[in-house]
């Protein structure tokens, strides 16, 4: 039997490996890898726009809002929700795990950052379920989401290596390596006010992992809602001793009274201090008159020599064209990229605070079109969160996440142990 353990911890300043740190540890959730099955849910959202009775609710809500108003504490109507948690939406950034794992296979720092930019630009299109903009569930503090991917090795670009030496005479050849890489993912809502989500993924065999913390800030913009993704991620390539620090774009829900749709906007950065390479990615919002939607441009630079080594342009949910310093070009059509489905345990085998288990009654009611029941179930979860928050305030108890610890302005996944027994 293969088991994956998350060794839990309460953190109060001790470092992993110290006795004071170990004394604060308690058992995390037990995650059984063999319980994971290929996810068959697609949760495609109906592209029907806003119905007339729903429009009146939105108009009433808008009448109480002011331009620039922070929407973090505003209760939005249930019918605009899509049937998944924000934590699960973040897992969709890895819908092309073969491209993600290819980053570590680059033979030079230049090749590796270009591979990362190619992956980054293809990471957003699968996060949108349908053309109509809907809002994922706001995660409850302490909510978690776990999944993994089995990534066929023949889909991942391999590092150039010498041919393996033959086995000595009289000795059996070594067993064939597994056909798949295993990429694991865990996300957790570590804070309610402000609403901070963290996620971590790793592939031990490729010696790479990524740690991301995101604080979502929403504001009212008239006929649009803007969502800033405050925070950053770090991709660690342990074999090369490289760290790639990256940020995330803003998202906008446009035309909220008719057929709402999503576009990305803003400038994000990717930086590897060790190699001196950086990239700037700009998500262009559509001008009021003319112009294309979903346009994105990117530029990869070697900072010590101020040399542009790669440029990209296109649509983040369509076709992307890459031009390299040697004059070569490459086209990536995100609509034709194969999706590798994640693996997740059935709801019956999930813990009570795992996303799909936690939100199952809201999700089922939305599927049945029972908005009233969905609203009731959602309010129960939110009221429970408020009650527990008040109890912690009375007892002066600080919330301690399971998988992440606060470090300066960010959050990191601590002591990433995935132990097999």
């Amino acid at each position: 039997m293969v088991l994956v353990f998350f060794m839990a911890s309460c953190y109060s300043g001790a470092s992993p490996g110290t006795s004071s740190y170990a004394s604060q540890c308690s058992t995390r959730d037990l995650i059984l890898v063999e319980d994971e099955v290929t996810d068959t849910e697609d949760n495609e959202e109906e592209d029907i726009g806003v119905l007339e009775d729903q429009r009146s609710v939105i108009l009433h809500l808008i009448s109480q809002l002011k331009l620039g108003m922070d929407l973090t504490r505003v209760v939005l109507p249930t019918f605009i929700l899509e049937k998944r948690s924000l934590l699960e939406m973040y897992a969709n950034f890895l819908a092309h795990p073969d491209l993600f794992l290819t980053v570590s296979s680059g033979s030079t720092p230049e090749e590796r950052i270009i591979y990362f930019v190619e992956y980054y630009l293809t990471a957003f299109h699968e996060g949108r379920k349908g053309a109509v903009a809907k809002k994922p569930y706001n995660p409850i503090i302490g909510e978690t989401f776990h999944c993994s991917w089995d990534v066929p090795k023949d889909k991942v670009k391999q590092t150039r290596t010498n041919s393996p030496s033959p086995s000595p005479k009289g000795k059996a050849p070594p067993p064939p390596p597994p056909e798949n890489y295993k990429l694991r993912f865990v996300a957790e809502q570590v804070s309610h006010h402000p609403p901070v989500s963290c996620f971590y993924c790793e592939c031990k065999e490729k010696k790479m992992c990524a740690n991301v913390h995101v604080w979502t800030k929403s504001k009212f913009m008239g006929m649009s809602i803007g969502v800033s993704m405050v925070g950053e991620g770090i991709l660690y390539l342990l074999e090369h001793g490289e760290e790639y620090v990256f940020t995330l774009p803003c998202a906008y829900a446009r035309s909220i009274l008719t057929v709402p749709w999503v576009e990305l906007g803003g400038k994000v950065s990717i930086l590897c201090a060790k190699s001196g390479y950086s990239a700037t990615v700009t998500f262009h919002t559509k001008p009021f008159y003319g112009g294309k939607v979903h346009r994105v441009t990117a530029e990869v630079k070697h900072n010590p020599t101020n040399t542009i080594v790669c440029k990209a342009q296109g649509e983040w949910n369509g076709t992307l064209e890459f031009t390299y310093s040697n004059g070569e070009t490459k086209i990536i059509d995100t609509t034709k990229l194969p999706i590798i489905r994640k693996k997740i345990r059935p709801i019956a085998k999930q813990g009570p605070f795992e996303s799909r288990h936690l939100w199952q009654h809201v999700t089922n009611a939305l599927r049945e079109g029972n908005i009233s029941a969905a609203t009731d179930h959602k309010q129960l979860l939110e009221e429970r969160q408020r009650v527990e928050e008040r109890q912690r305030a009375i007892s002066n108890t600080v919330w301690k996440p399971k998988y992440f610890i606060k470090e300066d302005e960010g959050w990191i996944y601590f002591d990433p142990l995935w132990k097999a027994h």
Side-chain angles (χ1 to χ4, degrees), residues 315-376:
E315 295 82 42
W316 56 266
N317 60 353
T319 301
L320 298 160
E321 180 181 5
F322 296 83
T323 305
Y324 309 101
S325 56
N326 61 5
E328 294 182 359
T329 60
K330 176 166 49 172
I331 301 293
I332 297 179
D333 187 346
T334 63
T335 65
K336 296 180 180 178
L337 288 175
I339 303 297
I340 298 179
R341 286 189 170 271
K342 62 182 176 289
K343 301 182 76 173
I344 186 171
R345 287 166 299 121
I347 287 177
K349 295 186 177 182
Q350 292 183 15
F353 270 78
E354 292 189 59
S355 294
R356 287 196 182 175
H357 189 287
L358 184 71
W359 293 96
Q360 61 179 311
H361 299 303
V362 179
T363 299
N364 292 338
L366 287 175
R367 282 187 182 137
E368 295 166 0
N370 191 337
I371 301 301
S372 176
T375 301
D376 290 343

Side-chain angles (χ1 to χ4, degrees), residues 113 276-280 299-304 306-310:
I113 193 168
Y277 283 93
S278 67
T280 300
E299 194 173 80
V300 182
K301 179 189 289 189
H302 183 238
N303 295 316
N306 201 33
T307 304
I308 305 299
V309 299
C310 175

Side-chain angles (χ1 to χ4, degrees), residues 106-118:
S107 57
T108 64
E110 179 178 318
E111 207 170 53
R112 289 190 287 274
I113 193 168
I114 288 175
Y115 284 163
F116 185 45
V117 171
E118 290 177 356

Side-chain angles (χ1 to χ4, degrees), residues 172-247:
E179 296 181 356
N180 297 320
Y181 293 116
K182 175 67 80 172
L183 178 64
R184 297 188 174 95
F185 176 97
V186 57
E188 181 177 8
Q189 190 71 8
V190 299
S191 172
H192 183 209
H193 296 301
V196 180
S197 306
C198 298
F199 61 90
Y200 172 86
C201 63
E202 74 169 14
C203 178
K204 280 207 159 187
E205 195 170 0
K206 294 290 285 181
K207 298 180 181 178
M208 60 187 297
C209 60
N211 189 101
V212 182
H213 65 274
V214 183
W215 170 15
T216 55
K217 296 176 68 176
S218 304
K219 66 178 180 179
F220 178 59
M221 303 168 62
M223 289 299 102
S224 300
I225 293 175
V227 181
S228 299
M229 310 284 272
V230 182
E232 67 179 22
I234 304 179
L235 170 67
Y236 300 88
L237 302 184
L238 305 181
E239 187 176 0
H240 307 288
E242 294 174 345
E243 298 180 5
Y244 295 79
V245 181
F246 58 94
T247 54

Side-chain angles (χ1 to χ4, degrees), residues 93-114:
F93 288 162
L94 291 161
H96 305 302
D98 50 329
L99 298 182
F100 177 74
L101 296 185
T102 290
V103 177
S104 69
S105 301
S107 57
T108 64
E110 179 178 318
E111 207 170 53
R112 289 190 287 274
I113 193 168
I114 288 175

Side-chain angles (χ1 to χ4, degrees), residues 73 84 119 136 174 206 242 251 267 296 364 414:
R73 297 174 184 264
R84 60 176 174 164
Y119 155 73
K206 294 290 285 181
E242 294 174 345
K267 186 175 289 188
V296 64
N364 292 338
F414 61 85

Side-chain angles (χ1 to χ4, degrees), residues 111-141:
E111 207 170 53
R112 289 190 287 274
I113 193 168
I114 288 175
Y115 284 163
F116 185 45
V117 171
E118 290 177 356
Y119 155 73
Y120 186 94
L121 291 181
T122 63
F124 295 93
H125 75 99
E126 182 61 14
R128 299 309 318 153
K129 296 296 185 181
V132 171
K134 289 196 172 184
K135 182 182 179 299
Y137 309 141
N138 284 336
I140 301 298
I141 190 169

Side-chain angles (χ1 to χ4, degrees), residues 248-270:
L248 296 167
C250 299
Y252 300 92
R254 307 295 195 190
S255 305
I256 57 178
L257 275 180
T258 53
V259 181
W261 55 282
V262 168
E263 69 171 341
L264 302 179
K267 186 175 289 188
V268 303
S269 63
I270 301 169

